[in-house]
Amino acid sequence: MLKRALLTGLALMALAAPAFAGDGGWSATWASSQMTPTGDNALPANDLSDITIRQIVHVSKGGSKIRIRVSNALGALPLRIKDVHVALGKLGSDAIDSDTDRAVSFGGEDEVLVPSFGEYVSDPIDINVPDDASLSVTLYIPGPIMQQTGHPGSRATTYILHGDHSDDASLPDAEKRANWFNLSEVDVQNDGATLVALGDSITDGHAVETDSDGRWTDALAARLTGQDISVVNEGIGGNRLHLDGLGPNAVARFDRDVLGVSGARWVIVFEGVNDLGTATRDAPIPPEAHDALVKQILSDYQQLIYRAHARGLKIFGATITPFVGNDYYHPGPEVEADRQKINTWIRTSGAFDGVIDFDALIRDPKAPDHILPAYDSGDHLHPGMAGYKAMGEAVDESLFK
């Protein structure tokens, strides 16, 4: 009750949403933001051809018909994908329910050549997927992959094995990685609609245990399935509103990661902490630079609001959570003052259709520039599992009525 009370009145200026026509009844039930994997997140050279990739994704709403979207969004050359299969699976397991195994086609063919910087949607697939289920999606990539596309922050185990093993019941010899590759969306055909969470590592789930589904969006999704609402996570670790970081900036990726999501009707924007932290990480900046930074962040928010409203989406702003004490960004009083200015604007400007006050929820009442210790992962920037659970449970469901 205390958590709910803290967020009473989130629906500031919440308006009745227009009737949603949808895309032939299709809405996204899982998604991930695509970027170029680097360092340890990238596939090594010997895994860039003749590989099977089995990925386990946790869907929000189910149905009797699905489709998937494969991605070459960062690839400069076309990418061949073939022998794609879907089946019910289990997080943390390479095994599938063979009775549910279905081959996936693209225009009636068992393979697809995804164009450079493009994505392809499959034909509809007849498979009964329950709500709150784990789906195994297996791709065979003959290769070579010239430029990789994927999502490093999967917080779910992916299985990689040389050769074509797309319809194998299990992959006991597969290499395990906590990344997703070339898979950007799973859609379900039903009467529901989709809520998109656009954010950084706090949305992506930094500090969440692998295969646990412990992100704040997972907790929120569990609450909204009964309302025929799917929640998809479009978070990228290190993401910023205005400048690229570990992935394209939020303004640049908004069209693909929000407006391009099937059945998108609402979006929560939870971005800005990395813009603030990066600005002073290496050296202090003068007062006029702080003023310019705040002005730029607010301008970026307004751009996202304009674009969401132009497409008939409701857009909600999440306040930036505290991060004093973090050793990576080591924010000083000037940065904290910037955060307070931005949060005041989010709460009071009326620019967003509603406010998700995560700051009020997880800050320490005795030291409001710090995360409450019970919700802190230990780095004083990212919530821990208890913090994420509290965040997902506290969002006001009436925003999405």
Side-chain angles (χ1 to χ4, degrees):
M1 295 298 294
L2 173 61
K3 290 179 284 189
R4 293 293 179 89
L6 282 169
L7 297 192
T8 298
L10 286 181
L12 300 177
M13 294 185 64
L15 306 175
F20 180 72
D23 173 20
W26 291 101
S27 58
T29 188
W30 173 89
S32 72
S33 303
Q34 301 300 292
M35 54 184 286
T36 301
T38 58
D40 293 340
N41 292 312
L43 290 170
N46 63 340
D47 284 342
L48 296 181
S49 61
D50 186 33
I51 57 167
T52 294
I53 305 176
R54 177 163 292 172
Q55 307 176 72
I56 317 300
V57 302
H58 197 81
V59 304
S60 184
K61 284 294 295 180
S64 60
K65 196 181 293 288
I66 68 168
R67 65 188 186 187
I68 68 169
R69 186 180 299 183
V70 292
S71 182
N72 188 31
L74 283 302
L77 294 173
L79 177 67
R80 185 180 172 214
I81 300 175
K82 64 176 298 186
D83 294 342
V84 180
H85 281 250
V86 299
L88 295 181
K90 182 180 179 181
L91 281 172
S93 174
D94 58 271
I96 62 169
D97 179 351
S98 296
D99 291 339
T100 65
D101 183 43
R102 302 287 186 273
V104 180
S105 61
F106 298 83
E109 302 295 329
D110 67 354
E111 65 178 82
V112 60
L113 190 65
V114 186
S116 56
F117 308 116
E119 299 188 324
Y120 247 67
V121 178
S122 75
D123 300 332
I125 308 156
D126 291 317
I127 177 175
N128 288 313
V129 179
D131 294 347
D132 191 35
S134 293
L135 187 71
S136 168
V137 181
T138 309
L139 319 173
Y140 173 64
I141 301 180
I145 302 171
M146 302 305 294
Q147 187 170 349
Q148 297 181 47
T149 292
H151 185 86
S154 66
R155 275 87 206 184
T157 304
T158 289
Y159 305 89
I160 298 175
L161 188 63
H162 280 271
D164 188 350
H165 301 275
S166 295
D167 60 353
D168 287 11
S170 62
L171 305 176
D173 299 322
E175 174 193 358
K176 299 178 181 179
R177 299 181 67 95
N179 310 91
W180 286 313
F181 298 97
N182 303 105
L183 181 66
S184 61
E185 191 168 308
V186 176
D187 298 341
V188 64
Q189 193 170 40
N190 58 23
D191 295 326
T194 301
L195 164 63
V196 182
L198 182 76
D200 48 43
S201 57
I202 300 178
T203 295
D204 203 23
H206 181 87
V208 165
E209 297 172 7
T210 301
D211 299 319
S212 71
D213 271 343
R215 311 166 191 85
W216 69 264
T217 54
D218 297 317
L220 178 58
R223 296 171 53 218
L224 294 179
T225 52
Q227 298 186 35
D228 290 330
I229 297 173
S230 300
V231 179
V232 300
N233 187 314
E234 297 281 10
I236 292 180
N239 202 226
R240 287 185 276 178
L241 278 159
H242 196 73
L243 299 174
D244 289 352
L246 299 177
N249 66 77
V251 174
R253 68 189 182 93
F254 192 78
D255 284 9
R256 184 179 70 215
D257 289 351
V258 177
L259 302 183
V261 171
S262 298
R265 183 169 175 177
W266 310 274
V267 54
I268 296 172
V269 176
F270 187 20
E271 295 260 11
V273 70
N274 294 310
D275 298 76
L276 292 175
T278 303
T280 61
R281 177 175 177 253
D282 296 326
I285 58 176
E288 58 269 23
H290 281 279
D291 293 340
L293 176 62
V294 171
K295 183 178 179 180
Q296 184 62 66
I297 289 173
L298 301 186
S299 177
D300 290 336
Y301 286 148
Q302 289 169 321
Q303 285 296 310
L304 302 186
I305 292 166
Y306 297 153
R307 287 154 69 181
H309 286 167
R311 291 286 293 273
L313 275 68
K314 296 300 175 187
I315 181 168
F316 310 113
T319 51
I320 301 173
T321 48
F323 62 113
V324 167
N326 177 254
D327 289 338
Y328 184 76
Y329 284 143
H330 47 81
E334 299 83 4
V335 174
E336 174 61 12
D338 293 344
R339 187 180 75 90
Q340 294 295 343
K341 291 176 185 177
I342 293 165
N343 283 348
T344 296
W345 184 89
I346 292 172
R347 292 183 181 113
T348 64
S349 69
F352 285 106
D353 296 308
V355 176
I356 314 291
D357 204 342
F358 284 147
D359 170 48
L361 175 70
I362 72 168
R363 69 191 180 204
D364 185 347
K366 298 178 180 178
D369 55 1
H370 286 70
I371 299 177
L372 188 71
Y375 290 159
D376 196 342
S377 67
D379 69 2
H380 311 303
L381 170 63
H382 301 93
M385 297 282 281
Y388 286 130
K389 185 174 185 292
M391 291 165 66
E393 290 180 346
V395 176
D396 188 349
E397 295 180 39
S398 68
L399 289 168
F400 318 112
K401 296 290 187 182

